[in-house]
Amino acid sequence: MSAVRQAAGPPERHRGGGPLAGGGKEAYPEAAAGLARPPGLAPWQQNTVHTHTTLCDGRHTPARMAAAALRQGFCTLGFSGHSPLPGQDWCMPAARLPLYRAEVARLQKKYAGRLEILCGIEWDACSFALLQPAKPGGSPVLGSKYAPQNWDYWIGSVHLLPGPQSGRLLSVDWGPDFAALVAEYASGQALVQDYYRTLAALAAKKPDIIGHFDLIRKLNGGGRAFDEASAGYRSAALRALAAADPAASLIEINTGAMARGFLAEPYPAQFLLRAWRARGGRVVLTADAHSANALRYAYTAAAGWAKSAGYTEVWVQRAAGPMALPL
């Protein structure tokens, strides 16, 4: 569909020389690039828990991300690799999960007392199927130890929908896939309904953080596929929001699409943030960082976005659980 913004592929997708390639002596250019510990950071600027590395689709290794986080003045760094999904090369393969846990554990030991490091996961709604046997009497692809609740925290996200005609899993945030979804659905509103229906089912599972709530907006610049101001769009999004538990989940104010040039403002939209606040919902700032120089991308703008929705505090994810910090 020519009107849909095309992208050659997710710009964050790693094409490097292996999951932990480039580790070396862990002496990285962040310091030389002027990213030494900045003065006067507010406490809410010292926590980043939506990050990706070369173990999934990030540009930099976990070691490099940790070194950068320390230099940039973070107190807490959370790794949140993409959960396995067969046929999706931007996700961690199931066989890589032990390496992921071992590498994060190594970094936790290395930085103990200087940087709190959490081993989380960004769990896609489609990954739940891997916890069930593919056929009666068989074994699941993922053992229960890798279920989302068995990480330091989990971010629940929807990236994929099955095409209603092809049945193929297609990404709502990658240009060619999004164009294919729009072509397969009878209308943009039908696509919207399925996306938010899937998100509602995921939110009902009470993830620690609900990821980029309205990710479906990423490639919809200018309303090319659907009208974000329409009553139909807003009611679908609000129904998904109603499935989330304010006492169990944080919603992230995510600057990832800003960093990659797709949106001028964070996820989610203001009407969703205001509705979430009215229910006592809490928010966390994240950069959805796929590289070491994006760990705190546009946090000031994200804080302003929270304030515009009436928030006076944000929450941060810590090893001991979420804690509130004033803006």
Side-chain angles (χ1 to χ4, degrees):
M1 184 175 184
S2 60
V4 176
R5 179 174 183 173
Q6 297 291 310
E12 66 274 17
R13 188 168 290 180
H14 174 66
R15 304 287 186 186
L20 297 177
K25 295 182 180 179
E26 299 181 16
Y28 303 118
E30 277 72 34
L35 295 179
R37 186 182 295 268
L41 286 173
W44 54 264
Q45 294 175 299
Q46 299 174 36
N47 180 280
T48 186
V49 294
H50 191 156
T51 67
H52 299 285
T53 72
T54 51
L55 292 172
C56 53
D57 63 346
R59 294 177 183 270
H60 296 145
T61 62
R64 180 164 176 170
M65 297 286 269
L70 183 66
R71 290 188 182 279
Q72 293 174 37
F74 285 97
C75 293
T76 302
L77 167 66
F79 291 108
S80 56
H82 288 293
S83 60
L85 280 171
Q88 303 295 325
D89 65 358
W90 48 275
C91 295
M92 292 188 291
R96 191 174 291 167
L97 294 180
L99 172 64
Y100 175 59
R101 277 187 166 162
E103 178 63 2
V104 175
R106 183 185 75 82
L107 294 170
Q108 288 172 329
K109 182 176 180 180
K110 175 176 179 176
Y111 288 96
R114 296 183 292 159
L115 175 66
E116 181 182 62
I117 294 178
L118 307 180
C119 189
I121 195 163
E122 183 175 10
W123 189 272
D124 190 273
C126 293
S127 292
F128 283 104
L130 303 183
L131 296 171
Q132 304 297 325
K135 56 184 178 180
S139 298
V141 173
L142 293 179
S144 59
K145 67 180 179 180
Y146 295 123
Q149 296 84 357
N150 293 326
W151 300 83
D152 288 341
Y153 65 99
W154 66 289
I155 301 172
S157 298
V158 175
H159 297 93
L160 301 166
L161 292 174
Q165 298 178 34
S166 67
R168 291 189 304 125
L169 285 178
L170 297 167
S171 174
V172 301
D173 66 330
W174 185 31
D177 276 16
F178 185 70
L181 279 170
V182 172
E184 289 196 31
Y185 274 89
S187 67
Q189 184 59 31
L191 169 59
V192 164
Q193 295 285 353
D194 269 6
Y195 172 80
Y196 281 117
R197 189 179 300 115
T198 304
L199 184 60
L202 177 68
K205 295 182 183 294
K206 302 183 179 182
D208 296 302
I209 298 170
I210 300 176
H212 35 59
F213 195 93
D214 48 357
L215 180 66
I216 197 170
R217 292 195 302 118
K218 177 179 173 181
L219 298 175
N220 191 49
R224 291 169 176 149
F226 49 85
D227 180 2
E228 297 170 29
S230 71
Y233 174 86
R234 292 195 168 202
S235 63
L238 289 169
R239 282 195 298 272
L241 191 71
D245 183 351
S249 300
L250 307 176
I251 283 183
E252 64 173 0
I253 297 180
N254 176 318
T255 62
M258 297 172 68
R260 292 182 277 282
F262 288 98
L263 294 177
E265 69 285 325
Y267 308 111
Q270 282 285 308
F271 78 93
L272 288 166
L273 280 179
R274 293 190 181 106
W276 185 238
R277 184 178 63 82
R279 295 180 56 206
R282 302 163 296 163
V283 295
V284 57
L285 306 186
T286 73
D288 201 346
H290 288 69
S291 62
N293 62 354
L295 289 168
R296 192 185 287 114
Y297 188 87
Y299 261 31
T300 300
W305 198 242
K307 290 178 181 178
S308 293
Y311 282 95
T312 58
E313 65 181 17
V314 295
W315 289 69
V316 294
Q317 189 73 39
R318 303 294 299 272
M323 62 178 291
L325 294 172
L327 283 172

